[in-house]
Amino acid sequence: MILLHGDKVILRSVDSSDIDTLLLWENANNEPLYGVFEEQYSREDVVQFVENQQRYSIAETEQLRLMICSHEGERLGSVDLTEYDGEKAFVSILIVGLDNRRKGFAENALQLLIDYSESLGLYTLYAHILPENSPSKNLFEKMGFVGESSTLYSKQL
């Protein structure tokens, strides 16, 4: 189990208590600026995903999702490493609810994930950011990511 403590948030491994929350988040169409996929996931899909995250390493699944939680345990969102190959990975972040944004949660979570990525031996992190998603572009640039194209950002570790 992964547990990373920051000033504002805690990152922890997903577990079975997160299944309904993840299902809701994955299938939400009302969450602005989240994702570019329109596929709907079944509960069985999410159960299998959580089981795989618990059973296998990032090297085996090529993906890691961590829940972003307040120090009181409230689920605020999630961060992901995907397309992991031992040298590089893609990063995505979700803070759920407009009332949880602009409070430093995403910045703290992203810094924890960057530090953790370095401990995994990664050399480069990438992020796909939609051109109209100014808050995400600003966050990733603040954290040292550099735009390589209109949608691709990278950070050397």
Side-chain angles (χ1 to χ4, degrees), residues 31 51 69 77 86 106 139 149 157:
E31 192 61 41
E51 287 176 358
C69 299
L139 169 66
S149 70
L157 303 178

Side-chain angles (χ1 to χ4, degrees), residues 1 15 38 44 79 86 108 124 153 157:
M1 171 162 224
D15 64 37
E38 298 197 12
E44 292 77 28
V79 290
N108 194 209
T124 309
Y153 288 73
L157 303 178

Side-chain angles (χ1 to χ4, degrees), residues 10 15-16 19 31 44 52 93-95 115 122-123 126 132-133 150:
I10 295 169
D15 64 37
S16 59
I19 290 170
E31 192 61 41
E44 292 77 28
N52 287 343
I93 188 165
L94 167 69
I95 298 294
D115 294 344
L122 292 175
Y123 298 111
Y126 293 95
E132 63 272 14
N133 190 344
S150 64

Side-chain angles (χ1 to χ4, degrees), residues 8 49 56 94 102 126 128 141:
K8 296 184 181 221
F49 172 79
Y56 301 108
L94 167 69
R102 299 203 174 291
Y126 293 95
H128 283 293
E141 287 172 354

Side-chain angles (χ1 to χ4, degrees), residues 3 8 11 26 28 36 38 50 58 75 77 79 81 118 132:
L3 191 63
K8 296 184 181 221
L11 300 185
E26 289 291 345
V36 293
E38 298 197 12
V50 169
I58 187 173
R75 293 178 189 98
V79 290
L81 289 175
E118 289 176 341
E132 63 272 14

Side-chain angles (χ1 to χ4, degrees), residues 6-11 68-71 76 79 93-95 97-112 135 139 142-143:
D7 294 337
K8 296 184 181 221
V9 300
I10 295 169
L11 300 185
I68 303 170
C69 299
S70 70
H71 289 280
L76 303 171
V79 290
I93 188 165
L94 167 69
I95 298 294
L98 294 175
D99 55 330
N100 287 325
R101 296 192 179 146
R102 299 203 174 291
K103 294 185 177 177
F105 299 143
E107 182 177 347
N108 194 209
L110 187 54
Q111 185 60 60
L112 290 169
L139 169 66
K142 180 178 181 180
M143 302 302 292

Side-chain angles (χ1 to χ4, degrees), residues 27-50:
N27 292 331
N29 291 323
N30 62 347
E31 192 61 41
L33 306 177
Y34 177 54
V36 293
F37 304 106
E38 298 197 12
E39 181 179 347
Q40 293 287 303
Y41 294 92
S42 70
R43 189 167 202 289
E44 292 77 28
D45 292 333
V46 176
V47 167
Q48 185 64 54
F49 172 79
V50 169

